Amino acid sequence: MKKSSLIITTIASAAFILGGMEAKAAVSSTHTSENKINFTAGEDVVTPPVDPTNPDNPNVPNPVDPTDPTNPGTGQTGPLSIDYVSNIKFGEHKITGKDIAYKGKNANPFVQVTDLRGAGDGWNLSAKMTEFKSGNKVLRGATLAIKDGVVKAGSSSNISLAPTKSDILFDNTESKLVMNAVNKGGRGTWLTVWPGVNQANEAIQLHVMAGTPEANTEYTSSITWELEDAPK
């Protein structure tokens, strides 16, 4: 019992002495240094497309959309740019006597926008589609529905407020809102991805009315994407 008591007392005393020694230390001198960094808007910066399935992936697949292999991106320069838009493929189909909704072939079509202005003024992306045509032949009544998009940041560490996305129904030539970044939001790179099954994407559907298609005819439509420097 005495031995144990002695050990405990010795440790406690040592701790007291060390504590006392630390308490006697004093600051003899101070000085303040300064660190600076300056930023300007990303003028003339080209932001390449990122991997739509994993935007943080440093090894971006080439092509980024296998169903759209000849599409490298828009090449637009900043500070506010549309970087990439997938071209939607629907393939070849036999004519039927029914109204049919044809699913997109692209598994992960996407649109990518980058805001390098550094002001946080917000922005909006809209789109309008022409009729499906082949020369003077028109695929009358055809509509394109794009829904269930997923908004992703080009970097998972982006702390800016994410833009919102909208489901789209192209049923005429009017402009439709696709993405909207409010004031102080949407800084950096942002994507809306429409994920689905390869060769049969439920999120992208072209509705064709019975009695309208003509055989041996490829119909084409174009979508014009418009990026404005303010929110809707």
Side-chain angles (χ1 to χ4, degrees):
M1 292 293 291
K2 290 182 180 179
K3 186 176 181 179
S4 298
S5 176
L6 179 61
I7 293 172
I8 292 171
T9 303
T10 302
I11 292 172
S13 299
F16 175 79
I17 293 169
L18 289 172
M21 290 175 64
E22 290 177 358
K24 293 178 181 178
V27 175
S28 60
S29 178
T30 64
H31 182 76
T32 301
S33 64
E34 194 171 59
N35 311 296
K36 290 185 178 181
I37 186 170
N38 186 38
F39 294 98
T40 61
E43 300 281 355
D44 302 322
V45 174
V46 176
T47 303
V50 302
D51 183 350
T53 61
N54 179 16
D56 280 323
N57 178 13
N59 301 311
V60 180
N62 184 23
V64 291
D65 185 348
T67 313
D68 190 14
T70 61
N71 184 355
T74 67
Q76 290 186 8
T77 59
L80 185 63
S81 59
I82 302 171
D83 308 321
Y84 188 89
V85 180
S86 294
N87 297 303
I88 306 301
K89 312 291 185 180
F90 291 98
E92 182 176 285
H93 302 274
K94 293 185 181 297
I95 295 174
T96 73
K98 300 179 179 179
D99 293 353
I100 299 287
Y102 298 97
K103 299 170 186 175
K105 299 289 186 182
N106 313 59
N108 293 286
F110 69 103
V111 58
Q112 177 180 314
V113 171
T114 296
D115 182 3
L116 304 178
R117 294 173 294 170
D121 293 332
W123 49 265
N124 77 85
L125 177 70
S126 60
K128 53 186 176 183
M129 188 184 81
T130 65
E131 292 180 306
F132 277 83
K133 289 184 176 182
S134 178
N136 59 0
K137 300 175 183 178
V138 178
L139 196 60
R140 290 177 292 125
T143 61
L144 176 59
I146 304 178
K147 62 180 182 178
D148 299 330
V150 178
V151 175
K152 298 182 179 183
S155 170
S156 59
S157 59
N158 189 334
I159 63 172
S160 179
L161 183 65
T164 57
K165 50 85 180 179
S166 300
D167 289 344
I168 313 159
L169 177 61
F170 292 113
D171 53 356
N172 52 41
T173 57
E174 293 179 0
S175 184
K176 313 287 183 177
L177 183 64
V178 181
M179 299 173 72
N180 190 54
V182 298
N183 187 36
K184 303 305 179 186
R187 298 189 189 200
T189 296
W190 293 91
L191 302 79
T192 292
V193 185
W194 294 277
V197 176
N198 185 36
Q199 302 300 306
N201 191 337
E202 294 274 358
I204 311 287
Q205 297 192 23
L206 176 63
H207 295 258
V208 177
M209 298 173 62
T212 56
E214 293 196 21
N216 305 315
T217 303
E218 183 177 68
Y219 295 92
T220 302
S221 170
S222 62
I223 298 176
T224 300
W225 303 81
E226 300 173 328
L227 181 60
E228 296 181 335
D229 60 358
K232 285 284 189 185

